[in-house]
Amino acid sequence: MKPAPCIRTVAVALTGASGMAYGLRLTECLLASGCRVWLLVSQVAQVVARQELDLTLPSRPAEAQALLTARFGAAEGQLQVFGRDEWFAPPASGSNPPDAMVVCPCTMGSLAAIAAGLAGTLIERAADVVIKEGRPLILVPRETPFSALHLENMLRLARMGVVILPANPGFYHRPQSVEALVDFVVARILDQLRVPHSLLPRWGEDATE
C-alpha cells in the first residue's frame, strides 16, 4: 500500500508554550517532505525560542522567513512567515485555507481562545477558519498538570473534530537524546497529517531493517 501523498499546505503556529523545539522540528520535517508551510509566530513564541534554543527570531516576518528558509534549506517560496496581526495573510480567510493546521506548541490561552471561537490574533483566526472549513486541526499542548478548565476546553474541541495531541514522548524506542524525544512527538503529528516520515521505527518493525 502506497503512503498517502503529502498534504500540500500546512499552517504551523508557534505560540508561547514551552517546547519550541517541537514546532521548529515539525516545520523542518514538513519542508523536507515537500509540503508548503505557512508559519504563524506569536510574540511570546519569539521569547520562548530565545530562552529555550538560543534562537533569535526576528520580529519582522520577512526577516524571520529568510532566516528559517536558510536554516531548513527550504525551496524558494516554500516557507512563508506571518506575524500575529497580518489579517491579509492567506490563512485568515476561508477562501484560501491551508489543507491542515498545527498549533505546536499550544498554550492553554490559545487553546481556550480557539475553543471559544475568538479571533483576536492571526493564529486564532486561522484556527477558526480551519474548523469552519472542515480541515484538520491539531493542537499540541505542553502543560502539566491540566486543570478542569483545560480539560473541558480540550473536550469541547475534540467534539468538534480537533485532534488534541499533548507533547508526551514515549520511551519504548529507548531514546538516547533530547532530539529523539522531540522526534517521537513530531512523528505522531506527521502521522496525523498523513505525511510520510522515517523519524523512528514503527511498533513491531525492526529498527535495523
Side-chain angles (χ1 to χ4, degrees):
M1 181 177 179
K2 294 183 179 180
C6 174
I7 293 175
R8 187 173 63 87
T9 302
V10 180
V12 176
L14 307 178
T15 70
S18 180
M20 194 56 53
Y22 294 117
L24 291 176
R25 178 61 167 152
L26 173 63
T27 300
E28 179 182 17
C29 291
L30 288 171
L31 293 170
S33 75
C35 292
R36 180 170 61 174
V37 176
W38 291 341
L39 191 64
L40 286 56
V41 184
S42 76
Q43 291 176 320
V44 183
Q46 296 173 323
V47 175
V48 176
R50 185 166 56 249
Q51 179 180 6
E52 295 186 344
L53 303 174
D54 290 327
L55 174 63
T56 300
L57 291 175
S59 297
R60 296 178 182 271
E63 294 177 7
Q65 180 174 307
L67 183 151
L68 293 174
T69 294
R71 179 186 179 99
F72 297 138
E76 183 177 357
Q78 189 184 8
L79 173 66
Q80 292 179 271
V81 178
F82 302 105
R84 72 184 302 273
D85 296 319
E86 291 195 56
W87 299 111
F88 289 101
S93 172
S95 67
N96 192 14
D99 295 294
M101 180 174 177
V102 185
V103 184
C104 177
C106 183
T107 64
M108 291 299 100
S110 295
L111 190 147
I114 294 168
L118 302 181
T121 67
L122 178 60
I123 290 174
E124 295 165 8
R125 171 58 184 168
D128 186 55
V129 166
V130 167
I131 291 172
K132 78 182 184 70
E133 296 298 329
R135 306 296 174 89
L137 174 61
I138 302 168
L139 305 184
V140 185
R142 214 307 309 158
E143 183 64 86
T144 190
F146 293 131
S147 72
L149 182 59
H150 298 156
L151 294 169
E152 288 170 357
N153 285 332
M154 290 181 200
L155 180 59
R156 185 177 186 182
L157 287 164
R159 285 174 171 161
M160 298 178 198
V162 176
V163 174
I164 307 298
L165 198 159
N168 296 336
F171 291 85
Y172 56 79
H173 62 306
R174 297 188 180 184
Q176 300 298 307
S177 65
V178 172
E179 289 76 15
L181 294 172
V182 170
D183 279 356
F184 183 96
V185 173
V186 172
R188 299 288 77 80
I189 301 170
L190 294 173
D191 286 345
Q192 288 292 321
L193 294 171
R194 301 183 68 193
V195 173
H197 66 86
S198 57
L199 293 182
L200 57 129
R202 298 188 179 279
W203 186 260
E205 296 180 354
D206 189 341
T208 62
E209 293 180 353

